[in-house]
């Protein structure tokens, strides 16, 4: 039911699929942490090894001041 699902969301109860790498699972868990004092910050996310070890994605692109204004840069960061 929707109420049960909302309860699981509010309690931070979720399962990461088994085909997700341990590094990615750790990042997902950090992002979905209910307590904001322990949830990953954007700086922590951008420094995460899973983000930085992916050869197709460069977290440094998100630090560029023109990132939000550049569709081309956005597309390059996604591929």
């Amino acid at each position: 039911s929707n109420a049960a699902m909302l309860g699981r969301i509010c309690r931070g109860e979720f399962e990461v699929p088994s085909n997700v790498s341990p590094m990615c699972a750790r990042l997902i868990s950090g992002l979905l942490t209910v307590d904001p004092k322990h949830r990953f910050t954007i700086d922590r996310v951008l420094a995460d090894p899973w983000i930085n070890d992916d050869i197709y994605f460069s977290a440094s692109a998100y630090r560029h001041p023109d990132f939000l204004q550049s569709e081309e840069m956005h597309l390059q960061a996604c591929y």
Side-chain angles (χ1 to χ4, degrees), residues 2-3 5-6 10 15-17 20-24 32-33 37 39 43 48-49 53 57-59 70 75 77:
N2 287 343
M5 184 186 314
L6 180 59
C10 291
E15 291 182 27
V16 177
V20 173
S21 74
M23 284 176 48
C24 183
L32 298 179
T33 298
K37 292 178 184 176
R39 189 179 309 133
D43 289 331
D48 192 272
D53 286 350
F57 182 84
S58 171
S70 172
L75 291 173

Side-chain angles (χ1 to χ4, degrees), residues 17-71:
S18 61
N19 63 332
V20 173
S21 74
M23 284 176 48
C24 183
R26 187 173 41 249
L27 177 60
I28 291 168
S29 180
L31 289 168
L32 298 179
T33 298
V34 175
D35 184 348
K37 292 178 184 176
H38 295 105
R39 189 179 309 133
F40 285 4
T41 64
I42 189 64
D43 289 331
R44 170 61 180 85
V45 171
L46 292 174
D48 192 272
W50 187 82
I51 296 288
N52 288 300
D53 286 350
D54 189 338
I55 62 171
Y56 298 106
F57 182 84
S58 171
S60 64
Y62 291 103
R63 295 187 180 104
H64 193 279
D66 297 330
F67 172 73
L68 294 176
Q69 298 173 4
S70 172
E71 287 296 322

